[in-house]
Amino acid sequence: ITIIPDEVGDEFQYCEKTFNADKPNILHIGTRPHKNLTRTIKALKGIKCQLRIVGVVENSDIELMSANNISYTIVHNLSDEQLIQEYKNADIINFPSYHEGFGMPIIEGQAIGRLVITSDMDPMKSVAGDGAIYCNPYNIASIHEAYIKGITDSCCREKAIKSGLENVKKYRLARITEEYLKLYKSL
């Protein structure tokens, strides 16, 4: 078996942004149960931030955000250009999923140059490499600690972003094309 990963498009390019440590914009993409929005909301309790959710949100999660005094906005049905702009506007890409086939928001966020917070399990861990801060997606305290670390520890944050920019190189089209060509030649 040969595994060749998905590629990240050239439209996802580094975009400089000063990290807003006072009130970071946390981008959460997807609202299916495995995307872990409910635990995310609980983990953000007490953290001053702006939660930006891409997807259709259940009323129970809206009520939970209100009960926990979390500032939030919700968008859905975005064009590709609008989604890329969401990444650029974000300070943190939030991806504490507990089940994925790959995890495109990880490498898309890394390509833009944003801090990625994701699950300490595969495939997220193997996709993100050293370019993320990890949490246990089943543990609210672990997710909370990852946010605190990412927001307050600028050295850790910058190291993760720099490693993410390096990591994403292996997901660019030229590299993926090489992998397919190598496989084809070996057959």
Side-chain angles (χ1 to χ4, degrees):
I1 295 175
T2 302
I3 298 173
I4 299 174
D6 290 337
E7 57 96 8
V8 63
D10 288 338
E11 65 273 19
F12 289 91
Q13 292 293 326
Y14 176 76
C15 178
E16 189 173 340
K17 180 181 188 298
T18 301
F19 188 86
N20 183 351
D22 293 328
K23 189 176 183 182
N25 183 354
I26 300 175
L27 180 62
H28 183 94
I29 298 175
T31 56
R32 290 188 177 159
H34 67 280
K35 301 294 185 182
N36 220 358
L37 179 58
T38 301
R39 283 192 191 97
T40 289
I41 295 166
K42 291 177 181 178
L44 286 172
K45 184 176 183 178
I47 296 176
K48 189 176 176 185
C49 68
Q50 174 67 37
L51 180 60
R52 180 75 161 172
I53 304 165
V54 177
V56 178
V57 179
E58 297 289 330
N59 284 336
S60 59
D61 284 329
I62 292 171
E63 291 168 6
L64 188 60
M65 286 185 284
S66 295
N68 285 306
N69 295 317
I70 295 171
S71 178
Y72 69 91
T73 53
I74 302 166
V75 293
H76 56 90
N77 295 328
L78 301 178
S79 68
D80 291 345
E81 294 79 20
Q82 289 171 318
L83 183 60
I84 291 167
Q85 191 59 51
E86 293 294 336
Y87 279 102
K88 290 177 180 179
N89 294 340
D91 294 295
I92 297 172
I93 307 305
N94 186 62
F95 204 69
S97 178
Y98 53 85
H99 172 73
E100 290 296 326
F102 183 73
M104 285 302 292
I106 294 168
I107 58 172
E108 291 170 345
Q110 288 178 335
I112 298 289
R114 299 302 177 260
L115 175 63
V116 174
I117 294 178
T118 192
S119 304
D120 62 356
M121 56 194 294
D122 282 326
M124 285 68 71
K125 225 175 159 177
S126 57
V127 169
D130 293 332
I133 293 177
Y134 292 101
C135 63
N136 176 341
Y138 296 102
N139 185 300
I140 294 165
S142 176
I143 301 168
H144 181 86
E145 289 167 16
Y147 296 138
I148 296 298
K149 185 175 187 178
I151 294 167
T152 63
D153 188 339
S154 61
C155 290
C156 177
R157 180 176 62 244
E158 291 305 317
K159 182 180 176 192
I161 291 169
K162 185 178 178 183
S163 295
L165 287 166
E166 190 61 32
N167 180 62
V168 81
K169 291 177 183 178
K170 66 185 176 189
Y171 297 102
R172 291 294 183 186
L173 183 58
R175 177 82 180 267
I176 300 303
T177 303
E178 282 177 23
E179 293 296 317
Y180 276 108
L181 190 56
K182 245 179 7 183
L183 177 62
Y184 179 74
K185 287 179 178 181
S186 75
L187 296 175

